[in-house]
Each structure stands twice: as structure tokens, then as C-alpha cells.
Amino acid sequence: MSELVTKSVAQEQPGQKIETRTAAQRVAGFTVVVTAVAVLAVLVATAVYAQDKYSLKSPSGIAFSDFKGYEDWAVVSSARTDEVLKVIVGNPTMITAYKAGVPGSGQPFPEGSMIVKLQWKPKKSTEAPFAVDVPDVFKQAFVMEKDSKRFPKTGGWGYAVFNYDAASDKFTADEKSLADCGHSCHVAVKAKDYIFHPYQKR
């Protein structure tokens, strides 16, 4: 009788080990799935944020996505007012035209030219051994896009403003950008194809 009990127990033990292994594998598999879902959620959230900026459109219909990559465009010039530090950058089409002598040559900028004025609130440097203002909080991207078919009434240029809020780390299309010194200000330099800043020597 004791031999039969021993045999029965011995026969059951391998089955129990298999069940235990299967349960461990299930827990491990569940952990992998949970981790994968968490990573996917982070990637999706990152993608949504990245899309947020470039999904914006101005009241005039200018898409911020038209200027994608502006962060790395070449510098055209810089400017300063009492309230704002400005760096003006141009897309490759614009820079090529500048280097060919536009607008001094009397030629207009080609279709597809784009320029962005990046604006920061200034602050006094606390590190430089001399008095100098440096960029503090980023405030605004003022954009111009050459498309004569879309903007025939404003010399072929479209204008828009995208404001940045540091607290929320988000951009918004400026609802008043149509009146934000767009074409009305640039008429003063109509002879230069409505562009104030020359490509500065460097």
C-alpha cells in the first residue's frame, strides 16, 4: 500500500512542477506585456506632443508644419528692441537666393522661400565678465512664406505668428496675427521684396 502511495505522489510531482513553471512563465509574459504597453504609451505621448506644435494653423491658414526644421535653418541676421532679442533664420531656398544677390540684384525671392523671426525676452548675463544681454524665455516665432498663388494680395508673402508659453511648454497660433505687423509693416520694404533683413556678412 505504501509503495502505491509513493508511486502516486511521484507521478503527481512532475505535473505540479510543470504547472508551477507555466504559472511563472505566465507572470513573466504578463510583465513583458505591461512593460511594452507602458513604453508604447510614452512613445505615443511623445509623438502627440511633437505633432501638437506642427498641427497648428494661423487664422490665415498658414500651417506651422510648413516651417518644419526651422530650428536648424541658417541665420540671416539678428535684431534687438528694448523688449525682445530676435534671430532671423531662412530655409535653404531663401539662403540660396540671398547668396545669389537677392534682393539687391532687383530679383524677388523665389517661390517656397521661408523666413522665421525667433524672439526671446532678454536678460542680463550673470556669467559673462562684461555687460551683455542674452536670450531668456522664448516668446514667439513670426513666420513668412512666399507663395504668390496663395497670397497675391500681399506681394506673394503670407504672414503668421505662433506664440510660445513657457509654463505649458506649448505653442499656439496667434489669433491676432493678421494685424501683428505683417504685410502692413513690410510694405515699407516693398523694393526689397518685403524683406527687412539682408543676409549679414560673416
Side-chain angles (χ1 to χ4, degrees), residues 7-82:
K7 261 187 182 178
S8 176
V9 170
Q11 284 172 353
E12 284 175 8
Q13 284 175 348
Q16 287 173 341
K17 283 180 184 174
I18 288 168
E19 283 177 15
T20 303
R21 235 179 267 127
T22 303
Q25 287 170 346
R26 284 179 186 161
V27 170
F30 178 72
T31 303
V32 169
V33 169
V34 168
T35 304
V37 169
V39 169
L40 184 60
V42 170
L43 290 174
V44 168
T46 303
V48 166
Y49 170 72
Q51 290 168 357
D52 183 53
K53 173 178 169 178
Y54 289 121
S55 66
L56 297 174
K57 278 194 176 182
S58 74
S60 61
I62 292 178
F64 205 1
S65 59
D66 290 353
F67 301 84
K68 195 165 189 176
Y70 72 88
E71 300 92 338
D72 300 316
W73 289 356
V75 172
V76 172
S77 185
S78 63
R80 165 75 202 256
T81 67
D82 290 339

Coordinates of all heavy atoms in Angstrom, one line a residue, residues 7-82:
K7 N 4.3 5.9 -5.3 CA 4.3 6.0 -6.8 C 3.3 7.1 -7.2 O 3.6 7.9 -8.1 CB 3.8 4.6 -7.3 CG 4.9 3.8 -7.8 CD 4.3 2.6 -8.5 CE 5.4 1.6 -9.0 NZ 4.8 0.4 -9.6
S8 N 2.2 7.1 -6.5 CA 1.2 8.1 -6.9 C 1.7 9.5 -6.7 O 1.5 10.4 -7.5 CB -0.1 7.9 -6.0 OG -1.0 8.9 -6.3
V9 N 2.4 9.7 -5.5 CA 3.0 11.1 -5.2 C 4.0 11.4 -6.2 O 4.1 12.5 -6.7 CB 3.5 11.1 -3.8 CG1 4.3 12.4 -3.6 CG2 2.4 11.0 -2.8
A10 N 4.9 10.4 -6.6 CA 6.0 10.6 -7.5 C 5.4 11.0 -8.9 O 6.0 11.8 -9.6 CB 6.8 9.4 -7.6
Q11 N 4.3 10.4 -9.2 CA 3.7 10.6 -10.5 C 3.1 12.1 -10.6 O 3.1 12.7 -11.6 CB 2.6 9.6 -10.9 CG 3.2 8.3 -11.3 CD 2.1 7.2 -11.4 OE1 1.0 7.4 -11.0 NE2 2.5 6.0 -11.8
E12 N 2.6 12.5 -9.4 CA 1.9 13.8 -9.4 C 2.9 15.0 -9.4 O 2.7 16.0 -10.0 CB 1.1 14.0 -8.1 CG -0.3 13.2 -8.2 CD -1.0 13.2 -6.9 OE1 -0.6 14.0 -6.0 OE2 -2.0 12.6 -6.8
Q13 N 4.1 14.8 -8.8 CA 5.1 15.8 -8.6 C 5.5 16.4 -10.0 O 5.6 17.7 -10.1 CB 6.3 15.3 -7.8 CG 5.9 15.3 -6.3 CD 7.0 14.7 -5.5 OE1 8.0 14.1 -6.1 NE2 6.9 14.8 -4.2
P14 N 5.9 15.7 -11.0 CA 6.3 16.3 -12.2 C 5.2 17.2 -12.8 O 5.4 18.2 -13.3 CB 6.5 15.1 -13.2 CG 6.9 14.0 -12.3 CD 6.0 14.2 -11.0
G15 N 3.9 16.7 -12.7 CA 2.8 17.5 -13.2 C 2.7 18.9 -12.5 O 2.5 19.9 -13.0
Q16 N 2.9 18.8 -11.1 CA 2.9 20.0 -10.3 C 4.0 21.0 -10.7 O 3.8 22.2 -10.8 CB 3.0 19.7 -8.9 CG 1.7 19.1 -8.3 CD 1.9 18.6 -6.9 OE1 3.0 18.4 -6.4 NE2 0.8 18.3 -6.2
K17 N 5.2 20.5 -11.0 CA 6.3 21.3 -11.4 C 6.0 22.0 -12.7 O 6.3 23.1 -12.9 CB 7.6 20.4 -11.5 CG 8.2 20.1 -10.2 CD 9.4 19.2 -10.4 CE 10.0 18.8 -9.1 NZ 11.1 17.9 -9.2
I18 N 5.4 21.2 -13.6 CA 5.0 21.8 -15.0 C 4.1 22.9 -14.8 O 4.2 24.0 -15.4 CB 4.5 20.7 -15.9 CG1 5.6 19.8 -16.3 CG2 3.8 21.3 -17.1 CD1 5.1 18.5 -17.0
E19 N 3.0 22.7 -13.9 CA 2.1 23.8 -13.6 C 2.7 25.0 -13.0 O 2.4 26.1 -13.4 CB 1.0 23.2 -12.7 CG 0.0 22.3 -13.4 CD -1.0 21.8 -12.4 OE1 -1.1 22.3 -11.3 OE2 -1.7 20.8 -12.8
T20 N 3.7 24.8 -12.1 CA 4.4 25.9 -11.4 C 5.2 26.6 -12.5 O 5.2 27.9 -12.5 CB 5.4 25.3 -10.3 OG1 4.6 24.6 -9.4 CG2 6.0 26.5 -9.6
R21 N 5.9 25.9 -13.4 CA 6.7 26.6 -14.4 C 5.8 27.4 -15.3 O 6.1 28.5 -15.7 CB 7.4 25.5 -15.2 CG 8.9 25.7 -15.3 CD 9.6 24.6 -16.1 NE 10.1 23.6 -15.2 CZ 9.8 22.3 -15.4 NH1 9.1 21.9 -16.4 NH2 10.3 21.4 -14.6
T22 N 4.6 26.8 -15.7 CA 3.7 27.5 -16.6 C 3.2 28.8 -15.9 O 3.1 29.8 -16.5 CB 2.5 26.6 -16.9 OG1 3.0 25.4 -17.4 CG2 1.5 27.3 -17.9
A23 N 2.9 28.8 -14.6 CA 2.4 30.0 -13.9 C 3.5 31.0 -13.9 O 3.3 32.2 -14.1 CB 2.1 29.6 -12.5
A24 N 4.8 30.6 -13.7 CA 5.9 31.6 -13.7 C 6.1 32.2 -15.1 O 6.3 33.4 -15.2 CB 7.2 30.9 -13.3
Q25 N 5.9 31.4 -16.1 CA 6.0 31.9 -17.5 C 4.9 32.9 -17.7 O 5.1 33.9 -18.4 CB 6.0 30.7 -18.5 CG 7.3 29.9 -18.5 CD 7.1 28.6 -19.3 OE1 6.0 28.2 -19.6 NE2 8.2 28.0 -19.6
R26 N 3.7 32.6 -17.2 CA 2.6 33.5 -17.4 C 2.8 34.8 -16.8 O 2.6 35.9 -17.3 CB 1.3 32.9 -16.8 CG 0.7 31.8 -17.7 CD -0.5 31.2 -17.0 NE -1.0 30.1 -17.8 CZ -1.8 29.2 -17.3 NH1 -2.3 29.3 -16.0 NH2 -2.2 28.2 -18.0
V27 N 3.4 34.8 -15.6 CA 3.7 36.1 -14.9 C 4.8 36.9 -15.6 O 4.7 38.1 -15.8 CB 4.2 35.8 -13.4 CG1 4.8 37.1 -12.8 CG2 3.1 35.2 -12.6
A28 N 5.8 36.1 -16.1 CA 6.9 36.8 -16.9 C 6.3 37.4 -18.2 O 6.6 38.5 -18.6 CB 8.0 35.8 -17.2
G29 N 5.4 36.6 -18.8 CA 4.8 37.1 -20.1 C 3.9 38.3 -19.8 O 4.0 39.3 -20.6
F30 N 3.2 38.3 -18.7 CA 2.3 39.4 -18.3 C 3.2 40.7 -18.1 O 2.9 41.8 -18.5 CB 1.5 39.1 -17.1 CG 0.6 40.2 -16.6 CD1 -0.5 40.6 -17.3 CD2 1.0 40.9 -15.5 CE1 -1.3 41.6 -16.9 CE2 0.2 42.0 -15.0 CZ -1.0 42.3 -15.7
T31 N 4.3 40.5 -17.4 CA 5.3 41.6 -17.1 C 5.8 42.2 -18.4 O 5.9 43.4 -18.5 CB 6.4 41.1 -16.2 OG1 5.9 40.5 -15.1 CG2 7.4 42.3 -15.9
V32 N 6.1 41.4 -19.4 CA 6.6 41.9 -20.7 C 5.6 42.7 -21.4 O 5.8 43.7 -21.9 CB 7.1 40.7 -21.5 CG1 7.4 41.1 -23.0 CG2 8.4 40.0 -21.0
V33 N 4.3 42.2 -21.3 CA 3.2 42.9 -22.0 C 3.0 44.2 -21.3 O 2.8 45.3 -22.0 CB 1.9 42.0 -22.0 CG1 0.7 42.8 -22.4 CG2 2.1 40.8 -22.8
V34 N 2.9 44.3 -20.0 CA 2.7 45.5 -19.3 C 3.8 46.5 -19.6 O 3.6 47.7 -19.9 CB 2.7 45.3 -17.8 CG1 2.7 46.6 -17.0 CG2 1.4 44.5 -17.4
T35 N 5.1 46.0 -19.6 CA 6.2 46.9 -19.9 C 6.1 47.5 -21.4 O 6.3 48.7 -21.6 CB 7.6 46.1 -19.8 OG1 7.6 45.6 -18.5 CG2 8.8 47.1 -20.0
A36 N 5.7 46.6 -22.3 CA 5.6 47.0 -23.7 C 4.5 48.1 -23.8 O 4.7 49.0 -24.6 CB 5.3 45.8 -24.6
V37 N 3.4 47.9 -23.1 CA 2.3 48.8 -23.2 C 2.7 50.2 -22.6 O 2.4 51.2 -23.2 CB 1.0 48.3 -22.4 CG1 0.0 49.4 -22.2 CG2 0.4 47.1 -23.2
A38 N 3.5 50.1 -21.5 CA 3.9 51.4 -20.9 C 4.9 52.1 -21.8 O 4.8 53.4 -22.0 CB 4.7 51.1 -19.6
V39 N 5.8 51.4 -22.4 CA 6.7 52.0 -23.4 C 6.0 52.6 -24.6 O 6.3 53.7 -25.0 CB 7.8 51.0 -23.9 CG1 8.6 51.6 -25.1 CG2 8.7 50.6 -22.8
L40 N 5.0 51.9 -25.1 CA 4.2 52.4 -26.2 C 3.4 53.6 -25.8 O 3.4 54.6 -26.6 CB 3.2 51.3 -26.6 CG 2.4 51.6 -27.9 CD1 3.2 51.8 -29.1 CD2 1.4 50.5 -28.1
A41 N 2.9 53.7 -24.6 CA 2.2 54.9 -24.1 C 3.1 56.1 -24.1 O 2.7 57.2 -24.5 CB 1.6 54.6 -22.7
V42 N 4.3 55.9 -23.6 CA 5.3 57.0 -23.6 C 5.6 57.5 -25.0 O 5.7 58.7 -25.3 CB 6.6 56.6 -22.9 CG1 7.7 57.6 -23.1 CG2 6.3 56.3 -21.4
L43 N 5.8 56.5 -26.0 CA 6.1 56.9 -27.3 C 5.0 57.6 -28.0 O 5.2 58.6 -28.7 CB 6.5 55.6 -28.1 CG 7.8 54.9 -27.8 CD1 7.9 53.6 -28.5 CD2 9.0 55.8 -28.1
V44 N 3.8 57.2 -27.7 CA 2.6 57.8 -28.3 C 2.4 59.2 -27.7 O 2.2 60.2 -28.5 CB 1.3 57.0 -28.0 CG1 0.0 57.8 -28.3 CG2 1.3 55.7 -28.8
A45 N 2.6 59.4 -26.4 CA 2.5 60.7 -25.8 C 3.6 61.6 -26.4 O 3.3 62.8 -26.7 CB 2.8 60.6 -24.3
T46 N 4.8 61.1 -26.6 CA 5.9 61.9 -27.2 C 5.5 62.3 -28.6 O 5.6 63.5 -29.0 CB 7.2 61.1 -27.2 OG1 7.5 60.8 -25.9 CG2 8.3 62.0 -27.8
A47 N 4.9 61.4 -29.4 CA 4.5 61.7 -30.8 C 3.4 62.7 -30.8 O 3.4 63.6 -31.6 CB 4.1 60.4 -31.4
V48 N 2.5 62.6 -29.9 CA 1.3 63.5 -29.8 C 1.8 64.9 -29.5 O 1.4 65.9 -30.1 CB 0.3 63.1 -28.7 CG1 -0.7 64.2 -28.5 CG2 -0.5 61.9 -29.2
Y49 N 2.8 65.0 -28.6 CA 3.4 66.4 -28.3 C 4.1 66.9 -29.5 O 3.9 68.1 -29.9 CB 4.4 66.3 -27.1 CG 5.1 67.6 -27.0 CD1 4.4 68.7 -26.5 CD2 6.4 67.8 -27.4 CE1 5.1 70.0 -26.4 CE2 7.0 69.0 -27.3 CZ 6.4 70.1 -26.8 OH 7.0 71.3 -26.8
A50 N 4.9 66.1 -30.2 CA 5.6 66.5 -31.4 C 4.7 67.0 -32.4 O 4.9 67.9 -33.2 CB 6.5 65.4 -31.9
Q51 N 3.5 66.3 -32.6 CA 2.5 66.7 -33.6 C 1.8 67.9 -33.2 O 1.3 68.7 -34.0 CB 1.5 65.5 -33.8 CG 2.1 64.3 -34.4 CD 1.2 63.1 -34.3 OE1 0.1 63.2 -33.7 NE2 1.6 62.0 -34.9
D52 N 1.7 68.2 -31.9 CA 0.9 69.3 -31.4 C 1.4 70.6 -32.0 O 0.6 71.4 -32.5 CB 1.0 69.4 -29.9 CG 0.2 70.5 -29.3 OD1 -1.0 70.6 -29.6 OD2 0.7 71.3 -28.5
K53 N 2.7 70.9 -32.0 CA 3.3 72.1 -32.5 C 3.0 72.2 -34.0 O 2.6 73.3 -34.5 CB 4.8 72.1 -32.2 CG 5.6 73.1 -32.8 CD 7.0 72.9 -32.3 CE 8.0 73.7 -33.0 NZ 9.4 73.5 -32.5
Y54 N 3.2 71.2 -34.7 CA 3.1 71.2 -36.2 C 1.7 71.0 -36.7 O 1.5 71.0 -37.9 CB 4.1 70.3 -36.8 CG 5.5 70.8 -36.7 CD1 6.5 70.0 -36.0 CD2 5.9 72.0 -37.2 CE1 7.8 70.5 -35.9 CE2 7.2 72.5 -37.1 CZ 8.1 71.7 -36.5 OH 9.4 72.2 -36.3
S55 N 0.7 70.8 -35.8 CA -0.6 70.7 -36.3 C -1.3 72.1 -36.3 O -2.5 72.2 -36.7 CB -1.4 69.7 -35.3 OG -1.5 70.3 -34.0
L56 N -0.6 73.1 -35.8 CA -1.2 74.4 -35.7 C -1.3 75.1 -37.0 O -0.5 74.9 -37.9 CB -0.3 75.3 -34.8 CG -0.2 74.8 -33.3 CD1 0.8 75.7 -32.5 CD2 -1.6 74.9 -32.6
K57 N -2.4 75.9 -37.1 CA -2.6 76.8 -38.3 C -3.0 78.2 -37.9 O -3.7 78.3 -36.9 CB -3.7 76.2 -39.2 CG -3.2 75.1 -40.1 CD -4.2 74.8 -41.2 CE -3.6 73.7 -42.2 NZ -4.6 73.4 -43.3
S58 N -2.5 79.1 -38.6 CA -2.8 80.5 -38.3 C -4.2 80.8 -38.8 O -4.8 80.1 -39.6 CB -1.8 81.5 -38.9 OG -2.1 81.5 -40.3
P59 N -4.8 81.9 -38.4 CA -6.1 82.3 -38.9 C -6.2 82.5 -40.4 O -7.2 82.2 -41.1 CB -6.4 83.7 -38.2 CG -5.6 83.6 -37.0 CD -4.4 82.8 -37.3
S60 N -5.0 82.8 -41.0 CA -4.9 83.0 -42.5 C -4.7 81.6 -43.2 O -4.6 81.6 -44.4 CB -3.8 84.0 -42.8 OG -2.6 83.5 -42.4
G61 N -4.5 80.6 -42.4 CA -4.4 79.2 -43.0 C -2.9 78.8 -43.2 O -2.7 77.7 -43.8
I62 N -2.0 79.6 -42.6 CA -0.6 79.1 -42.7 C -0.3 78.1 -41.7 O -0.6 78.3 -40.5 CB 0.4 80.3 -42.5 CG1 0.2 81.3 -43.7 CG2 1.8 79.9 -42.4 CD1 1.0 82.5 -43.6
A63 N 0.2 76.9 -42.1 CA 0.5 75.8 -41.2 C 1.9 75.9 -40.7 O 2.9 76.2 -41.4 CB 0.3 74.5 -42.0
F64 N 2.0 75.7 -39.4 CA 3.3 75.7 -38.7 C 4.2 74.6 -39.3 O 5.4 74.7 -39.4 CB 3.2 75.6 -37.2 CG 4.3 76.1 -36.4 CD1 5.4 76.7 -37.0 CD2 4.3 76.0 -35.0 CE1 6.4 77.3 -36.2 CE2 5.3 76.5 -34.2 CZ 6.4 77.1 -34.8
S65 N 3.6 73.5 -39.8 CA 4.3 72.4 -40.4 C 5.0 72.8 -41.6 O 6.0 72.1 -42.0 CB 3.3 71.2 -40.6 OG 2.3 71.6 -41.6
D66 N 4.6 73.9 -42.3 CA 5.3 74.4 -43.5 C 6.8 74.7 -43.1 O 7.7 74.7 -44.0 CB 4.7 75.6 -44.1 CG 3.3 75.3 -44.8 OD1 3.0 74.1 -44.9 OD2 2.7 76.3 -45.1
F67 N 7.0 75.1 -41.9 CA 8.3 75.6 -41.4 C 9.1 74.5 -40.6 O 10.0 74.8 -39.9 CB 8.1 76.8 -40.6 CG 7.4 77.9 -41.4 CD1 6.0 78.0 -41.4 CD2 8.2 78.9 -42.0 CE1 5.4 79.0 -42.2 CE2 7.5 79.9 -42.8 CZ 6.2 79.9 -42.9
K68 N 8.7 73.3 -40.8 CA 9.3 72.2 -40.0 C 10.8 72.2 -40.3 O 11.2 72.2 -41.4 CB 8.7 70.8 -40.4 CG 9.0 69.7 -39.5 CD 8.1 68.5 -39.7 CE 8.2 67.5 -38.6 NZ 7.3 66.4 -38.7
G69 N 11.5 72.1 -39.2 CA 13.0 72.1 -39.3 C 13.6 73.4 -39.1 O 14.9 73.6 -39.2
Y70 N 12.8 74.5 -38.9 CA 13.3 75.9 -38.8 C 14.3 76.0 -37.7 O 15.2 76.9 -37.7 CB 12.2 76.8 -38.6 CG 11.6 76.8 -37.2 CD1 12.1 77.5 -36.1 CD2 10.5 75.9 -36.9 CE1 11.5 77.5 -34.9 CE2 9.9 75.8 -35.6 CZ 10.5 76.6 -34.6 OH 9.9 76.5 -33.3
E71 N 14.3 75.1 -36.7 CA 15.2 75.2 -35.6 C 16.7 75.1 -36.1 O 17.6 75.6 -35.4 CB 15.0 74.1 -34.6 CG 13.6 74.1 -34.0 CD 12.6 73.2 -34.7 OE1 12.8 73.0 -35.9 OE2 11.5 72.8 -34.1
D72 N 16.9 74.5 -37.2 CA 18.2 74.3 -37.7 C 18.5 75.1 -39.0 O 19.6 74.8 -39.6 CB 18.4 72.8 -38.0 CG 18.3 71.9 -36.7 OD1 18.8 72.3 -35.7 OD2 17.6 70.9 -36.8
W73 N 17.7 76.0 -39.3 CA 17.9 76.8 -40.5 C 19.1 77.8 -40.3 O 19.4 78.1 -39.1 CB 16.7 77.6 -40.9 CG 15.6 76.7 -41.5 CD1 15.7 75.4 -41.8 CD2 14.3 77.1 -41.9 NE1 14.5 74.9 -42.3 CE2 13.6 76.0 -42.4 CE3 13.6 78.3 -41.9 CZ2 12.3 76.0 -42.8 CZ3 12.3 78.4 -42.3 CH2 11.6 77.3 -42.8
A74 N 19.7 78.2 -41.4 CA 20.8 79.2 -41.3 C 20.4 80.6 -40.8 O 19.3 81.0 -41.1 CB 21.5 79.3 -42.6
V75 N 21.2 81.2 -40.1 CA 20.9 82.6 -39.6 C 21.1 83.6 -40.7 O 22.1 83.6 -41.4 CB 21.8 82.9 -38.4 CG1 21.6 84.4 -38.0 CG2 21.5 82.0 -37.2
V76 N 20.1 84.4 -40.9 CA 20.2 85.5 -41.8 C 20.7 86.8 -41.1 O 21.7 87.4 -41.6 CB 18.7 85.9 -42.4 CG1 18.8 87.1 -43.2 CG2 18.2 84.7 -43.2
S77 N 20.1 87.1 -40.0 CA 20.5 88.3 -39.3 C 20.0 88.3 -37.8 O 19.4 87.3 -37.4 CB 20.0 89.6 -40.0 OG 20.4 90.8 -39.4
S78 N 20.2 89.4 -37.1 CA 19.6 89.5 -35.8 C 19.2 90.9 -35.5 O 19.6 91.8 -36.3 CB 20.7 89.0 -34.7 OG 21.8 89.9 -34.7
A79 N 18.4 91.1 -34.5 CA 17.9 92.4 -34.2 C 17.6 92.5 -32.7 O 17.5 91.5 -32.0 CB 16.7 92.8 -35.1
R80 N 17.4 93.8 -32.3 CA 17.1 93.9 -30.8 C 16.2 95.2 -30.6 O 16.4 96.2 -31.2 CB 18.5 94.2 -30.1 CG 18.4 94.7 -28.7 CD 18.0 93.7 -27.8 NE 17.4 94.2 -26.6 CZ 18.0 94.3 -25.4 NH1 19.2 93.8 -25.3 NH2 17.4 94.8 -24.4
T81 N 15.2 95.0 -29.8 CA 14.4 96.1 -29.3 C 14.6 96.2 -27.8 O 15.3 95.3 -27.3 CB 12.9 96.0 -29.7 OG1 12.4 94.8 -28.9 CG2 12.7 95.7 -31.1
D82 N 13.9 97.1 -27.2 CA 14.1 97.2 -25.7 C 13.5 95.9 -25.0 O 13.9 95.5 -24.0 CB 13.4 98.4 -25.2 CG 14.1 99.7 -25.5 OD1 15.3 99.6 -25.8 OD2 13.5 100.8 -25.5

